């Protein structure tokens, strides 16, 4: 079980839906590496419209441009854990944008929580 309450760091990685790492979607590789690194959580969000460094707008509204939609991978954990993970992102993300934001986690508890347990502010256990 993972608990994370209080100050944290959110990393958001913006890549294209068609970006790959060894023939797998890049966003999948990022999530799997975050999991293997023991980070508190990661989610992938598929955008419906956007543009990046190429300035080409990708959108679901036009069939010809509906490929390579923007994807955001969001990871939240303590600053120490996120910063330790950044070298892996340096290796994986050759085109894209990585943003770090300080944030505050109100409550994160894994699915294995027993009823009646309480969070202690700033406490993290595995």
């Amino acid at each position: 079980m993972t608990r994370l309450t209080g100050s944290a760091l959110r990393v958001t990685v913006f890549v294209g839906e068609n970006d790959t790492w060894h023939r797998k979607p890049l966003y999948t590789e990022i999530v799997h590496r975050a999991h293997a690194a023991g980070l508190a959580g990661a989610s992938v969000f598929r955008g419906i419209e956007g543009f990046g460094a190429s300035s080409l707008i990708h959108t679901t509204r036009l069939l010809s441009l509906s490929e390579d939609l923007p994807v955001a991978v969001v990871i939240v954990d303590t600053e120490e854990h996120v910063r330790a993970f950044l070298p892996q992102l340096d290796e994986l993300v050759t085109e894209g944008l990585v943003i770090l934001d300080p944030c505050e986690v109100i409550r994160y508890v894994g699915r294995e929580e027993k009823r009646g347990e309480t969070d202690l502010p700033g406490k993290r256990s595995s």
Side-chain angles (χ1 to χ4, degrees), residues 31-94:
V31 168
H32 285 269
R33 286 197 186 192
H35 185 260
L39 296 177
S43 297
V44 178
F45 301 94
R46 183 176 187 231
I48 58 172
E49 189 166 9
F51 69 93
S54 71
S55 293
L56 179 64
I57 295 178
H58 299 273
T59 178
T60 57
R61 292 182 291 129
L62 302 171
L63 288 178
S64 63
L65 297 177
S66 65
E67 299 172 2
D68 203 24
L69 291 167
V71 172
V73 182
V74 179
I75 301 167
V76 177
D77 205 316
T78 63
E79 182 171 356
E80 176 185 352
H81 289 116
V82 168
R83 291 202 182 273
F85 185 68
L86 291 179
Q88 292 198 55
L89 292 179
D90 287 341
E91 175 188 354
L92 294 171
V93 181
T94 56

Side-chain angles (χ1 to χ4, degrees), residues 14-32:
F14 293 97
V15 294
E17 184 177 36
N18 292 338
D19 293 346
T20 60
W21 178 262
H22 298 283
R23 297 187 199 103
K24 291 190 326 190
L26 177 58
Y27 57 85
T28 297
E29 183 66 18
I30 293 169
V31 168
H32 285 269

